[in-house]
């Protein structure tokens, strides 16, 4: 933060707040993408000893839950947009309440009452998981950030630093299985206690950060949307539609990587090495995301956001194809080969974060220009809808790969040799399918309309509109 001017929103207080306010949101993301499925299938005790049953429960829960939550995002976003602006702002109260609830429910999710029947445990998981995902939905940090400035360079800084700070959460989750094993045993790691020890400090930091952030004035002149404005937005906001298409397709790359990698690492490099190898993978994730974010922040000074997204999609596909071919010839049981290639893919994926979020903000700006309606939360909700739908479908892909080979964690952990067909099935989900989606997303992104002069004209029109509105307000 050294060297930044002290004017809002780049003053130290706001920067500290914006860097920490999303830590609970990031923690929630890691809980349901990186830990929950393996916890249910391997360590929750639900349907223990029944081959494939726990995997089926986890697959169904995560898919149905995320699908419901994705649909829930849409009406929640609209309700946030039409809610009155409070003395603390429109979005800040929701970020505060959502973070608090997500922390409490996130811990409850991993504390399944063991005296419940298997069916009772399923019901408990569904109720708590649905509420947990609803809480995560209303942590609307992107709309809140968009209110602070309309300048792309300022926005890039506001997006980049929280992305880097959030990797603190990634570091902790890199050690997750090692910590859980230390608190328990290699065969029965203490995942619930580990979740508590991680969630509580990140929740406290998030709440402090939220209190320190002041919501900006950029969207104050926009009127609350009417219900019919949603249909108008979809019809008129062409950049928003194209962004939805390539975000939906391209988002499967990261969703499948996060949903599948731990299973691949666990059986490719040895069950007994899971704690160490998951730590290595987590640290690799941290390094690549930080590197990608720094690269993209610098790149945004020279290229447009859409160009950055296009290049990232195109660059990931060849490396994923190479990994798929290697895995088909011989399972990638050498960690150095796996981490080198997957690290390149993850660095490129990390570089996509800043330009992708800038494009989302561009579609919000375009919406204010064309409809004069503040629909930041609705647009954000639609993007969250896609992410959760992707995550749910990715879970189906992993679950299908596990069910095809009759996955049973208790049997495989004791086996002297892991069948190659398990790792090759996982390889299709981890390498081949993401390669196809990455290239398709690149082709779609080429049709994004706010490029070059079109983008410049939009922001010139917005600036003129703000001047007109200001003069009109003064005359009254």
């Amino acid at each position: 933060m050294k060297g930044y001017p002290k004017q809002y929103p780049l003053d130290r207080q706001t920067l500290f707040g914006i860097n920490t306010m999303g830590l609970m949101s990031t923690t929630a993301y890691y809980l349901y993408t990186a830990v929950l499925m393996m916890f249910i299938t391997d360590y929750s005790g639900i349907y223990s000893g029944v081959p494939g049953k726990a995997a089926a429960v986890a697959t169904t829960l995560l898919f149905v839950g995320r699908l419901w939550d994705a649909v829930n995002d849409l009406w929640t976003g609209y309700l946030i947009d039409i809610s009155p602006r409070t003395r603390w702002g429109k979005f800040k109260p929701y970020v505060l309440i959502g973070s608090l609830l997500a922390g409490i429910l996130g811990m409850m999710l991993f504390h399944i009452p063991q005296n419940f029947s298997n069916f009772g445990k399923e019901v408990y998981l569904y109720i708590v998981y649905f509420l947990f995902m609803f809480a995560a939905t209303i942590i609307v940090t992107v709309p809140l950030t968009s209110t602070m400035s309309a300048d792309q360079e300022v926005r890039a800084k506001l997006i980049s630093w929280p992305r880097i700070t959030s990797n603190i959460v990634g570091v902790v989750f890199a050690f997750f299985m090692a910590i859980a094993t230390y608190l328990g045993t290699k065969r029965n790691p203490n995942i619930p206690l580990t979740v508590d020890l991680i969630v509580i400090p990140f929740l406290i930091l998030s709440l402090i950060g939220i209190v320190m952030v002041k919501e900006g004035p950029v969207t104050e002149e926009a009127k609350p949307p009417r219900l019919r404005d949603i249909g108008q937005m979809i019809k008129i906001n062409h950049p928003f539609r194209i962004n939805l298409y390539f975000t939906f397709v391209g988002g499967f790359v990261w969703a499948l990587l996060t949903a599948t990698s731990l299973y691949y690492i666990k059986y490719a490099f040895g069950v007994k090495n899971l704690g160490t190898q998951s730590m290595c993978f987590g640290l690799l994730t941290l390094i690549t995301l930080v590197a990608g974010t720094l690269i993209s922040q610098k790149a945004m000074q020279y290229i447009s956001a859409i160009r950055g997204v296009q290049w990232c999609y195109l660059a990931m596909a060849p490396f994923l194809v190479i990994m798929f071919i290697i895995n088909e010839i011989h399972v990638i049981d050498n960690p150095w080969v796996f981490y080198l290639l997957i690290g390149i893919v993850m660095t490129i994926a990390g570089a996509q974060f800043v330009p992708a979020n800038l494009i989302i903000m561009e579609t919000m700006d375009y919406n204010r220009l064309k409809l004069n309606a503040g629909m930041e939360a609705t647009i954000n909700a639609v993007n969250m809808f896609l992410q959760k739908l992707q995550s749910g479908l990715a879970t189906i892909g992993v679950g299908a790969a596990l069910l095809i080979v009759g996955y049973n964690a208790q049997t495989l952990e004791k086996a002297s040799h892991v069948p190659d067909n398990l790792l090759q099935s996982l390889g299709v989900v981890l390498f081949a399918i993401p390669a196809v989606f990455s290239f398709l997303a690149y082709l779609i992104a080429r049709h994004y309309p706010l490029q070059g002069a079109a983008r410049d004209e939009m922001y010139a029109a917005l600036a003129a509109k703000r001047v007109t509105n200001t003069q009109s307000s003064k005359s009254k």
Side-chain angles (χ1 to χ4, degrees), residues 30 51 82 190 196 226 232 385 414 441:
Y30 275 105
I82 64 174
N190 196 335
D196 295 345
R226 298 161 296 182
Q232 286 290 97
F385 169 89
K414 297 175 183 177

Short mmCIF file of all heavy atoms in Angstrom, two decimals, residues 30 51 82 190 196 226 232 385 414 441:
data_model
loop_
_atom_site.label_atom_id
_atom_site.label_comp_id
_atom_site.label_asym_id
_atom_site.label_seq_id
_atom_site.Cartn_x
_atom_site.Cartn_y
_atom_site.Cartn_z
N TYR A 30 -13.66 -21.79 -0.26
CA TYR A 30 -12.76 -22.93 -0.08
C TYR A 30 -13.46 -24.08 0.65
O TYR A 30 -13.22 -25.25 0.37
CB TYR A 30 -11.51 -22.51 0.70
CG TYR A 30 -10.42 -21.93 -0.16
CD1 TYR A 30 -10.16 -20.55 -0.17
CD2 TYR A 30 -9.64 -22.73 -0.97
CE1 TYR A 30 -9.17 -20.01 -0.96
CE2 TYR A 30 -8.64 -22.20 -1.76
CZ TYR A 30 -8.41 -20.84 -1.76
OH TYR A 30 -7.42 -20.32 -2.55
N PRO A 51 -20.42 -49.15 -0.42
CA PRO A 51 -19.66 -48.65 -1.59
C PRO A 51 -20.46 -47.66 -2.44
O PRO A 51 -21.58 -47.94 -2.85
CB PRO A 51 -19.36 -49.94 -2.38
CG PRO A 51 -19.39 -51.02 -1.36
CD PRO A 51 -20.44 -50.62 -0.38
N ILE A 82 -33.28 -3.24 -4.99
CA ILE A 82 -34.43 -2.37 -4.72
C ILE A 82 -34.49 -1.93 -3.26
O ILE A 82 -35.33 -1.11 -2.90
CB ILE A 82 -35.76 -3.05 -5.10
CG1 ILE A 82 -36.01 -4.30 -4.24
CG2 ILE A 82 -35.79 -3.39 -6.59
CD1 ILE A 82 -37.38 -4.92 -4.48
N ASN A 190 -8.97 -34.62 11.99
CA ASN A 190 -10.00 -33.87 12.71
C ASN A 190 -10.40 -32.64 11.88
O ASN A 190 -9.95 -31.52 12.14
CB ASN A 190 -9.50 -33.45 14.09
CG ASN A 190 -10.64 -33.01 15.00
OD1 ASN A 190 -11.69 -32.59 14.54
ND2 ASN A 190 -10.43 -33.12 16.29
N ASP A 196 -13.11 -24.95 12.44
CA ASP A 196 -13.35 -23.93 13.47
C ASP A 196 -12.14 -23.00 13.64
O ASP A 196 -12.28 -21.78 13.72
CB ASP A 196 -13.65 -24.59 14.82
CG ASP A 196 -14.95 -25.39 14.80
OD1 ASP A 196 -15.75 -25.19 13.86
OD2 ASP A 196 -15.14 -26.20 15.72
N ARG A 226 -37.02 -1.60 -11.51
CA ARG A 226 -38.31 -2.26 -11.44
C ARG A 226 -38.13 -3.70 -11.90
O ARG A 226 -37.15 -4.05 -12.54
CB ARG A 226 -39.31 -1.53 -12.34
CG ARG A 226 -39.57 -0.07 -11.92
CD ARG A 226 -40.17 0.71 -13.05
NE ARG A 226 -39.25 0.81 -14.18
CZ ARG A 226 -39.51 1.49 -15.29
NH1 ARG A 226 -40.66 2.09 -15.43
NH2 ARG A 226 -38.62 1.53 -16.26
N GLN A 232 -35.58 -6.04 -19.46
CA GLN A 232 -34.98 -5.02 -20.30
C GLN A 232 -33.45 -5.13 -20.31
O GLN A 232 -32.81 -4.94 -21.34
CB GLN A 232 -35.39 -3.63 -19.80
CG GLN A 232 -36.82 -3.25 -20.14
CD GLN A 232 -37.00 -3.02 -21.64
OE1 GLN A 232 -37.43 -3.92 -22.36
NE2 GLN A 232 -36.64 -1.83 -22.10
N PHE A 385 -24.70 -16.86 -9.94
CA PHE A 385 -25.53 -17.98 -10.39
C PHE A 385 -24.73 -18.90 -11.30
O PHE A 385 -24.72 -20.12 -11.15
CB PHE A 385 -26.76 -17.43 -11.11
CG PHE A 385 -27.57 -18.45 -11.85
CD1 PHE A 385 -28.59 -19.13 -11.21
CD2 PHE A 385 -27.31 -18.75 -13.18
CE1 PHE A 385 -29.34 -20.08 -11.88
CE2 PHE A 385 -28.06 -19.70 -13.86
CZ PHE A 385 -29.08 -20.37 -13.21
N LYS A 414 -6.87 -48.64 1.79
CA LYS A 414 -6.14 -49.81 2.27
C LYS A 414 -5.53 -50.62 1.13
O LYS A 414 -4.76 -51.55 1.37
CB LYS A 414 -7.10 -50.71 3.06
CG LYS A 414 -7.65 -50.03 4.32
CD LYS A 414 -8.69 -50.92 5.00
CE LYS A 414 -9.29 -50.21 6.21
NZ LYS A 414 -10.36 -51.03 6.85
N ALA A 441 -14.64 -20.90 -24.81
CA ALA A 441 -14.82 -19.60 -24.17
C ALA A 441 -14.05 -18.51 -24.93
O ALA A 441 -14.54 -17.38 -25.06
CB ALA A 441 -14.36 -19.65 -22.72
#
